[in-house]
Amino acid sequence: MKLQHIKSYLFFFLRILFAIALGSYVFLTVDFASAWKAFLQFSIPLFIVSFCLSTICSIVIPAMTTNRALRVSGIDISLWESIKINFSMRLYVMILPQVISSGIRWFRYRGPEKGKGWEAASIIFFEKIVQLFFITFSTFVFFLIKINTIPDVLKNSIPLIGVLAMAFFALIVLFLSPQVFRLFGFMFRFARDHFPQFVAKRVDKIEEAIQVYQKLGNRSVVLMFFGYLSAHLIFILSSSVLGFGLGIEMDYIDMGWIRSIVLTLSALPITVGGLGVRELGHIYLMGYLGVDKSVAVTFSLLIFAIQILIALIGACFEIWRFFMHSNTDLKK
């Protein structure tokens, strides 16, 4: 086993311990009898609506936008295959270290010929940058809209969030604009001329992978951005449906900045599946708006339940994939 994998599993174990610690803290500070009562009163049809919206924004739309970059990169994967990969990745992200789960997705994108490795890596990286841009930018806009009602501690973070949004947008422009890419081309030339040969070769691969996006037409770029924006807005709508079912009196804008912040915190590699971080984030942020702790925890657990259901669908696809490969090997 490689040293990198050993480190990944060690950090993964520490994340499990931290998730248990945070979960224990939530358990000791929240009235779970009230949380269970709120859970039992929740409407199943609204849960199904929220689940469908979550599936659209986290599985279907990302598959549609990613496939545009896949086709330009020369990676031949159908839309249905991309959807199945996204479902499977929801499973692996919850049960495996991030390095391993990202590696599995990278491997799936490359296809049976195992080519286009750098292009597949650039697609995953670009997708993450765009998602972070829309999270930070929407949070920045929502804070400005609610500037008179958000807590002072969050008002102080507005400049930082704006800077982060601009930084992510600059990276996106670097991918999509040939003019900007040429402007920063000196960095690639410097690396090729002054770094060891094995580094220079990788720099060439990174440069080629980034240039793939410059082949996207304006229409494809607009559609991709519209897809990412729609996914984020539907993501907030899905949360609003859950909030409505629990009787949380909160408008779309407030739900938007709360869910954007919690999503960012949950993505930090400090626990498993965002456990503990997600619950504490909802408790404190919703608490600013007068939402009871038990209701906030119930809201958070319902979101987690939706993530588990999506991961279970991914598990079904993986089991089906295993049996299909087994049958193919037996025929050979």
Side-chain angles (χ1 to χ4, degrees):
M1 184 178 292
K2 295 181 179 180
L3 180 61
Q4 183 183 13
H5 290 171
I6 295 175
K7 290 181 179 179
S8 296
Y9 280 108
L10 175 61
F11 284 121
F12 188 66
F13 177 71
L14 293 175
R15 288 165 60 187
I16 292 175
L17 293 180
F18 193 50
I20 293 173
L22 289 179
S24 300
Y25 175 77
V26 172
F27 180 79
L28 292 173
T29 57
V30 173
D31 181 10
F32 269 86
S34 300
W36 180 247
K37 182 179 179 181
F39 179 78
L40 292 177
Q41 293 175 346
F42 188 80
S43 168
I44 293 179
L46 286 179
F47 180 82
I48 295 173
V49 170
S50 182
F51 169 77
C52 293
L53 291 172
S54 295
T55 302
I56 291 171
C57 70
S58 64
I59 303 296
V60 179
I61 293 179
M64 294 171 64
T65 53
T66 300
N67 259 41
R68 288 188 169 272
L70 288 171
R71 286 196 295 269
V72 174
S73 300
I75 301 175
D76 186 18
I77 295 179
S78 67
L79 176 60
W80 175 237
E81 186 64 27
S82 290
I83 290 174
K84 290 192 293 183
I85 290 173
N86 283 355
F87 270 117
S88 299
M89 288 310 103
R90 290 291 168 173
L91 169 68
Y92 289 126
V93 165
M94 295 186 71
I95 64 175
L96 292 175
Q98 190 171 8
V99 173
I100 306 298
S101 59
S102 297
I104 293 172
R105 188 182 182 196
W106 170 75
F107 190 80
R108 295 285 174 85
Y109 278 160
R110 294 171 68 191
E113 76 282 357
K114 301 300 175 285
K116 305 293 183 182
W118 286 99
E119 285 82 352
S122 70
I123 288 168
I124 296 172
F125 182 63
F126 180 78
E127 184 182 74
K128 183 60 67 176
I129 291 172
V130 177
Q131 289 173 348
L132 289 172
F133 166 70
F134 278 114
I135 290 172
T136 53
F137 180 72
S138 64
T139 305
F140 179 76
V141 173
F142 292 156
F143 275 179
L144 291 181
I145 295 174
K146 291 286 187 173
I147 191 68
N148 295 323
T149 58
I150 63 172
D152 291 335
V153 65
L154 296 178
K155 289 180 183 178
N156 297 330
S157 67
I158 292 178
L160 175 60
I161 294 173
V163 170
L164 288 174
M166 290 177 61
F168 290 130
F169 185 73
L171 286 173
I172 293 171
V173 172
L174 179 63
F175 267 81
L176 297 178
S177 172
Q179 293 79 13
V180 175
F181 185 80
R182 284 195 295 270
L183 185 64
F184 288 91
F186 70 92
M187 295 188 299
F188 297 98
R189 290 193 296 271
F190 179 85
R192 281 194 295 267
D193 295 339
H194 298 87
F195 282 75
Q197 185 65 25
F198 74 95
V199 175
K201 289 182 179 179
R202 284 162 174 76
V203 169
D204 287 336
K205 292 292 185 181
I206 294 172
E207 187 175 10
E208 291 173 7
I210 292 177
Q211 286 176 322
V212 166
Y213 287 87
Q214 295 162 16
K215 299 176 185 177
L216 287 167
N218 293 334
R219 182 172 180 272
S220 293
V221 171
V222 170
L223 288 175
M224 285 177 66
F225 268 79
F226 178 76
Y228 285 120
L229 176 61
S230 300
H232 188 61
L233 295 178
I234 294 173
F235 160 78
I236 299 171
L237 178 61
S238 171
S239 303
S240 297
V241 171
L242 289 181
F244 177 76
L246 289 171
I248 298 175
E249 296 180 358
M250 186 182 301
D251 60 31
Y252 185 87
I253 303 298
D254 282 328
M255 183 62 74
W257 66 259
I258 287 176
R259 288 295 292 130
S260 295
I261 292 176
V262 173
L263 177 65
T264 304
L265 295 175
S266 301
L268 296 175
I270 53 179
T271 67
V272 178
L275 280 172
V277 175
R278 177 179 51 249
E279 284 69 36
L280 287 176
H282 285 127
I283 286 174
Y284 285 106
L285 293 177
M286 287 184 160
Y288 285 127
L289 301 179
V291 178
D292 185 74
K293 280 186 177 181
S294 59
V295 177
V297 169
T298 304
F299 175 82
S300 184
L301 292 177
L302 286 171
I303 290 174
F304 185 52
I306 289 174
Q307 293 176 351
I308 291 177
L309 285 177
I310 293 175
L312 288 176
I313 295 175
C316 293
F317 281 128
E318 287 300 285
I319 293 171
W320 176 258
R321 185 175 183 275
F322 172 78
F323 281 114
M324 290 296 291
H325 278 251
S326 299
N327 292 334
T328 303
D329 293 339
L330 286 173
K331 289 178 181 178
K332 289 182 179 179

